[in-house]
Amino acid sequence: MASSSLFRASLSSLNPNPKPPYLYTATKHRPSSFITCTSSTFDSSSSTTNTNSPPVAAAAPKVRRAADENIRDEARRHRPDAANNFNAKYVPFNAGVDSAESYPLDEIVYRSRSGGLLDVQHDMDALGKFDGAYWRSLFDSRVGRTTWPYGSGVWSKKEWVLPEIDDDDIVSAFEGNSNLFWAERFGKQFLGMNDLWVKHCGISHTGSFKDLGMTVLVSQVNRLRKLKRPVVGVGCASTGDTSAALSAYCAAAGIPSIVFLPANKISMAQLVQPIANGAFVLSIDTDFDGCMKLIREITSELPIYLANSLNSLRLEGQKTAAIEILQQFDWEVPDWVIVPGGNLGNIYAFYKGFKMCQDLGLVDRIPRLVCAQAANANPLYLYYKSGYKEFNPVRANSTFASAIQIGDPVSIDRAVFALKNSDGIVEEASEEELMDAMAQADSTGMFICPHTGVALTALIKLRKSGVIGARDRTVVVSTAHGLKFTQSKIDYHSKTIRDMACRLANPPVQVKADFGSVIDVLKDFLRQ
């Protein structure tokens, strides 16, 4: 495993003979003063003599790399000889730490022997040898750096993601580190809240949060191909954003990508991304669920690696958005996090990120989670309202929130687990509600996607019912960039959507090209 040796720890403040288990006690969620970070290139596997102590690296000052050396070369030069002490494996979902069934991450497997979901399970005992203050300091030291691969918001948490992958195999666009936007005016004007935040995961390389998971999956595929495993390409079914992320990362790595898209059900902006990135795109006369059924059948017959969230590697990258939220609040835990839900891997990914931080002592609790669904594709909402008695897939109807137009979500069990263990809630949004919420947000300076409109609708309803309080620190996760959905905004503001009032529409005013006409319309506007 690649890493740098430029992390410096203060030897005078470390116990040379710690008593196991090694855990320093942190009384506040702030980095402890006994660790000083001088570089973002530190890797915690650099200690070989005492695994119960934080590793200590050479104290040589960092100098600018030579002109003919790139950041991969630099990372390789600083790589220690020590073996990696961390590892992860596939186990059946919710199987527990003593599961008799497990698979190495280098094995191509998507389901357990019983046909259930798999999960990536980390060696928490090894990670737990370092306390929360240590991990907080390590992760914080890497933020915003260009050091390979830690400049990525995902790979800055490499030990918690894919600990055994070689840095040379990583395919990254330095994704993540996305803006946590204080929605000041929206919160005050529409909700009476002053601590409302929007996590803009759509401000990413391909314009959606899917980049966070795809950098992990494609990096592992890159590793598998170097190991001569039978992988000729990577395939996915998509409602748009997954295909964009897959095609971009595969293009960067020189790996063929195959995309199954439901015909005439995604925006042109989403369609053109995989085409531009050189993917082999199949437009299929079915919906997402039909595409998903086909890609699963195809990948079971051909050496094409499955890239949908059935593959639990994706969630390892997506969970880092939860850790980022904690970092951006200086390791203080928000009260609520609201996530749009379609195939439902993301709500579990956020839970997993928050839970790892709690289990390893970075924080002392996790936020309550809300999964927001479009009413036209709401199988989880119906399941929740029934008290989780019986799950029934639905036929997803057309929704402006096209990326979550999914009636038979793969990760239903993961989502229910996350919600039950976070005292979570499921809410839904009608088409008019989500479009009005999007227009409200845009009118306060945001430019969001319809899926974020679904999440904001959930927030509005929970505020009105008093479930979310005026002083609750709340984060709404925005999953994609609004520029991918301009047609829906055009239709709304031109009032061309059938059976929708579009009450917040703001169409342009037609005016003659003379001074008097312009003055008249401006006076009318300024009197409002």
Side-chain angles (χ1 to χ4, degrees):
M1 174 175 175
S3 63
S4 166
S5 60
L6 296 181
F7 179 91
R8 180 180 301 177
S10 174
L11 288 174
S12 61
S13 57
L14 295 178
N15 181 355
N17 297 299
K19 296 179 181 179
Y22 168 77
L23 285 174
Y24 288 98
T25 302
T27 57
K28 295 182 180 180
H29 297 314
R30 297 289 189 275
S32 174
S33 60
F34 65 78
I35 293 180
T36 303
C37 296
T38 59
S39 169
S40 63
T41 60
F42 166 72
D43 191 296
S44 56
S45 66
S46 59
S47 174
T48 57
T49 57
N50 185 353
T51 59
N52 285 335
S53 298
V56 179
K62 185 172 181 177
V63 296
R64 183 169 178 173
R65 63 180 177 272
D68 60 348
E69 183 181 55
N70 62 41
I71 56 175
R72 281 188 190 269
D73 296 331
E74 182 182 37
R76 195 179 299 117
R77 178 162 52 85
H78 290 299
R79 184 176 303 166
D81 296 328
N84 177 26
N85 295 323
F86 304 127
N87 62 82
K89 60 187 177 182
Y90 294 121
V91 298
F93 171 71
N94 202 20
V97 295
D98 298 323
S99 172
E101 181 183 354
S102 66
Y103 309 90
L105 297 188
D106 289 339
E107 186 166 340
I108 300 173
V109 56
Y110 312 116
R111 290 279 197 181
S112 68
R113 286 195 289 266
S114 66
L117 297 169
L118 293 173
D119 199 13
V120 175
Q121 184 182 90
H122 290 265
D123 185 347
M124 297 296 283
D125 289 338
L127 294 172
K129 288 181 169 140
F130 307 102
D131 73 347
Y134 165 80
W135 290 116
R136 290 195 302 267
S137 287
L138 176 60
F139 294 160
D140 287 346
S141 74
R142 294 168 170 172
V143 173
R145 305 299 180 90
T146 58
T147 310
W148 185 264
Y150 303 124
S152 160
V154 173
W155 297 108
S156 64
K157 288 87 177 171
K158 179 184 174 183
E159 295 83 357
W160 291 21
V161 177
L162 280 186
E164 296 172 276
I165 194 168
D166 193 287
D167 287 356
D168 285 346
D169 295 338
I170 290 174
V171 183
S172 173
F174 278 14
E175 52 289 306
N177 296 322
S178 58
N179 180 30
L180 186 61
F181 173 82
W182 179 33
E184 180 183 15
R185 186 179 164 204
F186 185 90
K188 290 179 180 179
Q189 181 172 336
F190 298 112
L191 297 167
M193 301 177 73
N194 64 7
D195 210 358
L196 173 64
W197 302 79
V198 177
K199 178 65 170 168
H200 278 299
C201 293
I203 303 177
S204 190
H205 180 57
T206 71
S208 89
F209 79 94
K210 299 293 179 71
D211 294 349
L212 303 179
M214 210 57 74
T215 181
V216 177
L217 185 139
V218 174
S219 294
Q220 179 64 9
V221 171
N222 197 36
R223 170 182 168 87
L224 292 174
R225 284 163 64 90
K226 290 183 179 181
L227 293 173
K228 306 300 182 184
R229 299 298 169 85
V231 178
V232 298
V234 191
C236 76
S238 179
T239 49
D241 290 334
T242 299
S243 65
L246 174 65
S247 60
Y249 283 87
C250 281
I255 299 171
S257 59
I258 300 100
V259 171
F260 289 16
L261 294 176
N264 304 315
K265 291 183 174 66
I266 69 171
S267 73
M268 288 303 297
Q270 291 173 301
L271 174 62
V272 76
Q273 285 184 284
I275 291 173
N277 285 135
F280 185 66
V281 179
L282 286 75
S283 181
I284 302 175
D285 186 20
T286 184
D287 57 11
F288 171 81
D289 295 314
C291 288
M292 188 68 216
K293 180 176 182 294
L294 282 169
I295 193 69
R296 287 172 63 178
E297 292 171 347
I298 293 298
T299 53
S300 68
E301 293 293 327
L302 297 176
I304 298 171
Y305 195 79
L306 180 65
N308 285 97
S309 57
L310 176 64
N311 189 323
S312 52
L313 279 177
R314 284 259 308 274
L315 307 185
E316 293 306 292
Q318 289 165 212
K319 78 183 181 189
T320 61
I323 306 171
E324 275 187 20
I325 288 171
L326 297 176
Q327 280 185 286
Q328 289 167 313
F329 284 132
D330 200 15
W331 301 102
E332 294 177 352
V333 182
D335 299 298
W336 298 89
V337 174
I338 304 175
V339 184
N343 220 15
L344 302 180
N346 214 23
I347 190 73
Y348 176 67
F350 272 82
Y351 169 78
K352 191 172 185 181
F354 288 128
K355 185 62 175 160
M356 281 191 75
C357 287
Q358 182 188 36
D359 289 346
L360 291 169
L362 285 75
V363 296
D364 58 6
R365 64 183 180 91
I366 67 172
R368 293 185 69 182
L369 298 178
V370 177
C371 188
Q373 292 208 292
N376 282 1
N378 64 348
L380 177 62
Y381 176 76
L382 297 176
Y383 191 26
Y384 169 77
K385 295 299 284 186
S386 74
Y388 297 122
K389 290 179 181 177
E390 183 178 0
F391 175 74
N392 293 301
V394 302
R395 182 177 178 81
N397 295 314
S398 178
T399 172
F400 284 101
S402 57
I404 56 176
Q405 187 178 320
I406 299 169
D408 189 10
V410 167
S411 292
I412 181 66
D413 293 338
R414 292 169 174 153
V416 172
F417 181 88
L419 291 163
K420 285 184 175 180
N421 285 279
S422 65
D423 194 17
I425 295 172
V426 186
E427 191 49 89
E428 67 173 356
S430 70
E431 293 302 289
E432 188 155 8
E433 287 172 335
L434 73 89
M435 292 298 284
D436 284 347
M438 182 172 70
Q440 284 179 323
D442 289 352
S443 73
T444 65
M446 291 185 269
F447 194 74
I448 62 169
C449 64
H451 318 85
T452 310
V454 173
L456 287 173
T457 298
L459 170 61
I460 292 167
K461 289 182 174 181
L462 293 171
R463 269 294 293 127
K464 285 182 178 178
S465 66
V467 174
I468 294 180
R471 296 185 178 182
D472 289 354
R473 175 173 285 178
T474 303
V475 178
V476 170
V477 177
S478 180
T479 56
H481 202 294
L483 285 172
K484 289 190 173 188
F485 302 92
T486 52
Q487 189 60 52
S488 65
K489 295 176 184 287
I490 291 169
D491 293 344
Y492 182 91
H493 289 289
S494 60
K495 294 191 173 184
T496 59
I497 302 173
R498 182 181 297 178
D499 300 325
M500 188 176 294
C502 303
R503 61 187 180 86
L504 298 173
N506 182 33
V509 176
Q510 299 294 323
V511 60
K512 293 180 180 179
D514 65 78
F515 180 79
S517 297
V518 173
I519 283 289
D520 288 342
V521 297
L522 285 175
K523 285 181 178 178
D524 289 342
F525 169 72
L526 294 172
R527 288 193 194 103
Q528 296 176 10

